[in-house]
Amino acid sequence: MTKKYSMGIVQRLCLKDVETMAASQGFKMTPQRRMIIGFLEGATSHPTADEVYFAVNKKIPMTSRATVYNTLNWLKSVDMLRERFEGDKVRYDPNCERHHHFICRCCGLVEDIHFDSLQDLGLIDLPQDHSVESYEITLRGICKGCE
Amino acid sequence: MTKKYSMGIVQRLCLKDVETMAASQGFKMTPQRRMIIGFLEGATSHPTADEVYFAVNKKIPMTSRATVYNTLNWLKSVDMLRERFEGDKVRYDPNCERHHHFICRCCGLVEDIHFDSLQDLGLIDLPQDHSVESYEITLRGICKGCE
DNA sequence: TTGATTGCAAACGGTTTGCATGGGA
DNA sequence: TCCCATGCAAACCGTTTGCAATCAA
């Protein structure tokens, strides 16, 4: 499964975009894939593979872990899903817009921070020795619920 | 192994500090621990557990993986070592000073960026709903070697 | 002396793989 | 029809655990 797909700036994973991409790249849509994508679309947090597995099986009690991983890796390989390591597990982030994160050191909550809500760093300040293409900011602290 | 230790601001993992901490907290120093810490002290990159294991065994050919993990977790639990997920594996960062990172999307190189070399964000811009204690910036791009 | 630390090997948990079956296009 | 995707189970791999032996303090 090589990376063949690029659609420019994808804001957020959505079924419609995946259908388009699949059709043009020769991938097949299946009920399982639609369920998985549907769940990710609506996810406000950053689910783990297992959370996807259980959520999908609550609706269609017949989706194997292999299919879940296969689908997640497929979406990752076409840049429609991001993998992040948070706390101590891998999580999947359907938000492909540039954004930052807030992580609560108490409960592990991860919240997206809209890119524009933090000031732009300004490329002038970035180190010159490497070619920097993007950046993201991770804020750490205590969330409202834990305070 | 509960977290009992706090030494204020630790700049960078060093054997001397660990010896002091161990003595005051009732932990024991062993040749294996000294080797592992010695390796981490001098590491310019962010080694994986396996890299530590092989590096240490090159010098003392008798340190088990269990001991490596045990020591890494011990240092982590007393805030003298940080765990990071980079690329697709867990890595250990002996630099406990506030700093940022540059990650090469081509070779996976991780380089520390001195905190002061990026402008301070200014807390005014941070979201008000959670209590933000710190932040770090991850720069992504292509390193000099890969260009 | 004493109990923390070690090495070993088995266990564990998340992810991937091989293969035969099933189902989109 | 064709071959991509699926389910299952086994394999894999990094990490943790249980236990008896060892050794730092």
Side-chain angles (χ1 to χ4, degrees):
Chain A
M1 194 183 288
T2 51
K3 185 190 283 191
K4 303 178 188 172
Y5 169 77
S6 176
M7 241 170 91
I9 297 154
V10 177
Q11 299 300 318
R12 185 171 222 280
L13 180 68
C14 78
L15 185 53
K16 185 175 62 64
D17 288 346
V18 179
E19 303 261 14
T20 306
M21 179 276 291
S24 71
Q25 304 287 336
F27 295 117
K28 289 174 183 171
M29 293 305 293
T30 63
Q32 290 89 338
R33 290 189 168 181
R34 274 185 259 265
M35 282 312 290
I36 292 167
I37 293 158
F39 172 73
L40 290 171
E41 262 187 335
T44 56
S45 66
H46 298 180
T48 61
D50 243 45
E51 283 166 11
V52 174
Y53 172 73
F54 284 115
V56 167
N57 274 278
K58 219 186 273 178
K59 297 196 166 188
I60 297 186
M62 247 314 163
T63 303
S64 70
R65 264 174 236 272
T67 297
V68 170
Y69 281 110
N70 172 29
T71 303
L72 293 174
N73 287 333
W74 172 50
L75 295 173
K76 218 174 65 185
S77 74
V78 295
D79 285 331
M80 298 182 86
L81 188 63
R82 294 228 179 120
E83 202 175 52
R84 295 182 53 84
F85 188 74
E86 283 155 12
D88 48 6
K89 39 180 82 109
V90 174
R91 294 182 167 276
Y92 294 89
D93 185 351
N95 183 355
C96 290
E97 214 175 357
R98 287 187 82 181
H99 66 287
H100 307 301
H101 289 97
F102 170 85
I103 301 178
C104 176
R105 70 167 160 81
C106 181
C107 66
L109 165 95
V110 180
E111 198 176 273
D112 288 358
I113 306 282
H114 198 270
F115 191 81
D116 296 333
S117 65
L118 293 183
Q119 75 184 66
D120 201 296
L121 280 188
L123 290 182
I124 285 169
D125 297 306
L126 301 180
Q128 300 298 308
D129 23 333
H130 303 309
S131 148
V132 175
E133 298 168 336
S134 67
Y135 67 89
E136 70 210 34
I137 301 172
T138 303
L139 307 175
R140 295 180 190 280
I142 302 273
C143 77
K144 218 159 196 171
C146 286
E147 248 172 356
Chain B
M1 193 183 291
T2 51
K3 185 189 283 191
K4 304 178 188 171
Y5 170 76
S6 176
M7 241 170 91
I9 297 155
V10 177
Q11 299 300 318
R12 187 171 220 281
L13 180 68
C14 79
L15 185 54
K16 186 174 60 62
D17 289 346
V18 179
E19 303 261 13
T20 306
M21 179 276 292
S24 71
Q25 304 288 335
F27 294 117
K28 289 174 181 170
M29 293 305 294
T30 63
Q32 291 89 338
R33 289 188 169 181
R34 274 184 256 268
M35 283 310 291
I36 291 167
I37 293 158
F39 172 73
L40 289 172
E41 263 188 335
T44 55
S45 65
H46 299 180
T48 60
D50 242 46
E51 282 164 13
V52 175
Y53 171 73
F54 284 114
V56 168
N57 275 279
K58 220 185 271 178
K59 298 195 165 188
I60 298 185
M62 246 315 160
T63 302
S64 71
R65 262 174 237 271
T67 298
V68 171
Y69 281 109
N70 173 29
T71 303
L72 293 174
N73 287 333
W74 172 50
L75 296 172
K76 217 175 64 184
S77 74
V78 295
D79 285 330
M80 298 181 86
L81 188 64
R82 295 227 178 121
E83 202 176 52
R84 295 181 53 82
F85 187 74
E86 283 154 12
D88 48 5
K89 38 180 80 110
V90 174
R91 294 182 167 277
Y92 294 90
D93 185 352
N95 183 356
C96 291
E97 216 176 356
R98 285 187 83 182
H99 65 287
H100 307 301
H101 289 98
F102 170 85
I103 301 179
C104 175
R105 71 167 159 82
C106 180
C107 67
L109 166 95
V110 179
E111 199 176 273
D112 288 359
I113 306 282
H114 198 270
F115 192 81
D116 296 333
S117 65
L118 293 183
Q119 75 184 67
D120 200 295
L121 281 189
L123 291 182
I124 285 170
D125 297 307
L126 301 181
Q128 299 298 308
D129 24 332
H130 303 308
S131 147
V132 175
E133 296 168 338
S134 68
Y135 67 89
E136 71 209 35
I137 301 172
T138 303
L139 307 175
R140 296 181 189 280
I142 302 272
C143 76
K144 219 159 194 170
C146 287
E147 248 171 353

